[in-house]
Each structure stands twice: as structure tokens, then as C-alpha cells.
Amino acid sequence: MLHGAILSSPHAHAKIISYGVEAARALPGVKCVITGDDFGDDFMGPFIKDEGAIAKGKVRYIGEPVCAVAATTKKIARTALGLIEVEYEVLPPVLSMGDAVAEDAPIIHEGLEGYTKIFESVSYDNVMSETTLSEGDVDNAWADCDLIVENVYETQAQNHMPIETCGALAEEDGNGRIELWSANQSVFRVQANVCETLGLPMSKLRCLTPSIGAGFGNKMEAHVQPIVVKLAMETGLPVKIILSREEDFEMIRARHPFRIWIKTGVKSDGSFVARDVNILMDGGAFSDDSPGVLGYSVLCSRGPYRIPNMRSFGRVVYTNHLRFAAFRGFGNPQVNFASETQIDEIANKLGMDP
């Protein structure tokens, strides 16, 4: 069995000009070095197909995989990473949701319009998706309110922190069929993602899941599996990669940061009349599960309350942060934090128990 290691991007946003991998390939014990040049233009994504197995032509977040090595020992593989030279042309990064929607914002995905999408996506510039839900007549309902409260709330990124970091082991048999063992939350999602990014028929890949040390959403979509499978195919030998905790922090996923504007109107007895919500959500460098998380947060922004006049509008934007994706609650915790905080304020102003 060979041990794999991944070289990640030191830049949030940059063009890849060239790779210098000769010294790494010449190191005794190194069996394979792969870069974006070894992959086609095949993309994965549960909602928008915008992500390859490894950076190709451009990096979009600090920690994005750029090159990978397979060697006879883990030490040799990591030593080889230090011998790889990648030339970059650094581009202006987009490091906040506000910067992403600014008029002069650098475009993170120039090919957004051409990406395959599984839903009728409203996508433009750095906006990967928009969603709106409404009921009643919000604009005219404010006149019926005795109290109106309006606030902006923000939530931060959060790491899933499962005990086990992401990892995978792949082996190709003599018939070109691959078995892939990995820490994941859905063998069929992994199978689809790997086959999409490598251009493989799904019949060529069998995915297996041993007992895993939790996931909470960060192992729902692919992580290192496509890279491990590619290394196994190139070498003809089993290859294993287990990320360190530092690599897992930098390379994988986190909970979405939100900026939520809410305006709620009530009667003096505490009954709800109207609510208007505007959600801006950081999706990071790739869409992953973000459009689905946005839709669910818009749906849940009413909370468990009867509000006859309700409007909720949301946008999720690309930034040069790592991917933000599925995390327990799937967008509901962020909007509930904002909603319940505002209801506490309304109750205080009315002199009522929340």
C-alpha cells in the first residue's frame, strides 16, 4: 500500500501558471505525482456542478488541493510535497459577503453561467443562488401593526469537529474496477462525486463505509476520495490518505456564516402580523450543499409561528473561503438565532414574557 499526501494552496485566489514536479518525482520512494493537468474538465456538485477533484487553472481558497503524491511511506510523501514548486499569479480575493456582491467584485467563477445545475438557479456574478418565499401582503400589513422591530444579525463559521478526520483508501483490481473505503455519510453521493470528477462509469466504482468517527455534514459530499482514487488508478497499487487535524480544518468544510435582516410587526397582545426577512449567506469557494441550505433557511425563517403576511428572500454568494456546506440543522440554526433574538426584544418592548 502507498501513502498519499496533498499539497494545498497558500493563496485565497490565484491563477496557476505552472507546476515544477520533477524533483518530487525523482525522490526515491515516490510512485506518482498528480496535478490539475492530470484531470479533465469534469465537475461535481449536488446542486451546481462547479468543483473538480483538484484545483485546475485556478485556486479559490487557502487549503484547496493543488497537487498530490503517492509514495512508499508517509514521510517520503510529505517530503515530496516540499519539493514541488507551483507558480501562481495572485488575484484579488473576495473575503466577505459584502465584498462578493459589490459592483466591482472580482469574479470567482467565470464559467458560472455554463455550469450544469439541477434546479432553476438564479445565478449571476458571485451569486450562486437566490430563493424567495412569500405569503399574504407584507407591504400593506405594516399599517396594522402596533409595534415593528427591525434588526440585523450575523453568525460565524463553525467547524464540524468530528473526532475522526477525513480519509480514504482506494484499490484497483485487475479488471479496472475500484474499491473505495472512506469516512463518509453517503456511499452513493461519494460514488457519484468520484465518478463525475474522474469521468468513470459508476459500475467501475464500489464504495464502502467502515464505522466512522462522526461527520455532522462535513462528510456528506466528497473530500479526498477522488484524489485517492486517481492515485490508485495511476499507480495500480492501493493508496491511503488520512488528513491531519490541521489539513481537515483548512481543506474540508464548515457551517455557513449568515447576515440576516429581519423586520417583524405585531399587535399589542403579541400576535404576529407581518415579517420580512433578507438573508445573505457565505457559500465559500464552491457551491456544495449551499443552495439547499439557503432554501431551507428561507423556509424556516418564519419559525414555528403563525405569521399571515410573510416574505423571505435569500442569496448565497461565492467567496474565497473554504467550502461551507451541510451542518446539523442545515441553515435552520442561523435563522432561528436571529428570529428568537428578535422575538425576545419584541416581548421586552411589549412587557411580555417571551
Side-chain angles (χ1 to χ4, degrees):
M1 186 188 74
L2 301 178
H3 295 268
I6 298 172
L7 181 68
S8 60
S9 168
H11 303 293
H13 198 196
K15 289 182 180 178
I16 299 173
I17 305 302
S18 65
Y19 305 96
V21 298
E22 292 78 12
R25 284 183 172 144
L27 185 68
V30 171
K31 301 299 181 183
C32 181
V33 179
I34 58 174
T35 71
D37 290 343
D38 298 296
F39 293 81
D41 296 318
D42 300 303
F43 297 133
M44 62 182 168
F47 292 91
I48 300 174
K49 310 294 183 185
D50 62 357
E51 184 179 4
I54 198 168
K56 185 177 176 68
K58 187 178 181 180
V59 293
R60 293 179 171 89
Y61 68 95
I62 294 173
E64 183 176 359
V66 175
C67 304
V69 173
T72 52
T73 69
K74 187 183 296 186
K75 182 178 180 180
I76 292 173
R78 293 193 174 276
T79 300
L81 295 184
L83 300 176
I84 297 173
E85 295 182 0
V86 182
E87 182 184 356
Y88 296 97
E89 178 189 332
V90 178
L91 302 171
V94 176
L95 299 177
S96 74
M97 292 176 275
D99 289 345
V101 295
E103 287 187 9
D104 58 346
I107 300 300
I108 297 172
H109 285 269
E110 293 85 355
L112 178 59
E113 286 188 7
Y115 290 151
T116 299
K117 305 174 181 72
I118 68 159
F119 66 110
E120 293 183 7
S121 167
V122 180
S123 302
Y124 58 92
D125 299 332
N126 287 323
V127 177
M128 72 172 74
S129 181
E130 284 186 0
T131 301
T132 303
L133 290 174
S134 63
E135 181 180 353
D137 187 352
V138 173
D139 292 328
N140 290 317
W142 303 117
D144 297 328
C145 300
D146 297 322
L147 173 66
I148 298 172
V149 176
E150 179 180 337
N151 303 95
V152 176
Y153 304 91
E154 293 190 2
T155 65
Q156 76 280 17
Q158 180 185 3
N159 191 273
H160 298 72
M161 278 299 294
I163 293 173
E164 180 192 23
T165 61
C166 289
L169 165 65
E171 180 177 15
E172 185 177 27
D173 66 19
N175 296 315
R177 193 163 186 259
I178 300 149
E179 289 205 340
L180 169 65
W181 295 264
S182 68
N184 69 80
Q185 294 174 243
S186 172
V187 290
F188 299 109
R189 288 296 311 139
V190 170
Q191 184 188 32
N193 285 330
V194 172
C195 291
E196 283 177 344
T197 56
L198 300 183
L200 289 173
M202 292 182 73
S203 60
K204 287 287 187 181
L205 180 67
R206 181 184 181 216
C207 294
L208 302 99
T209 304
S211 298
I212 64 169
F216 314 120
N218 82 326
K219 293 169 183 167
M220 195 68 190
E221 307 300 331
H223 41 79
V224 300
Q225 296 103 325
I227 295 173
V228 174
V229 170
K230 181 68 171 178
L231 289 170
M233 292 170 63
E234 292 291 322
T235 60
L237 294 168
V239 178
K240 179 172 75 171
I241 293 179
I242 305 293
L243 295 183
S244 68
R245 179 61 63 185
E246 292 83 358
E247 289 170 330
D248 202 77
F249 271 133
E250 295 174 354
M251 196 180 295
I252 306 302
R253 297 173 175 88
R255 189 191 290 281
H256 296 87
F258 273 57
R259 181 181 300 155
I260 307 162
W261 172 84
I262 301 186
K263 180 180 178 181
T264 304
V266 299
K267 292 287 192 180
S268 57
D269 64 357
S271 57
F272 293 98
V273 176
R275 170 172 283 180
D276 203 359
V277 182
N278 191 306
I279 296 168
L280 186 59
M281 183 175 127
D282 190 340
F286 298 98
S287 62
D288 208 278
D289 289 311
S290 293
V293 174
L294 174 68
Y296 195 61
S297 67
V298 167
L299 181 68
C300 292
S301 60
R302 172 183 259 150
Y305 306 107
R306 295 187 181 93
I307 306 177
N309 303 285
M310 176 73 199
R311 180 171 59 209
S312 185
F313 168 73
R315 289 176 295 170
V316 55
V317 296
Y318 288 109
T319 64
N320 291 120
H321 294 140
L322 86 171
R323 296 161 295 187
F324 296 112
F327 197 150
R328 289 295 173 92
F330 212 70
N332 192 17
Q334 294 95 318
V335 293
N336 253 310
F337 156 72
S339 174
E340 293 301 322
T341 302
Q342 186 170 82
I343 288 173
D344 282 0
E345 182 176 344
I346 290 170
N348 184 56
K349 289 180 181 294
L350 293 175
M352 300 175 68
D353 188 301

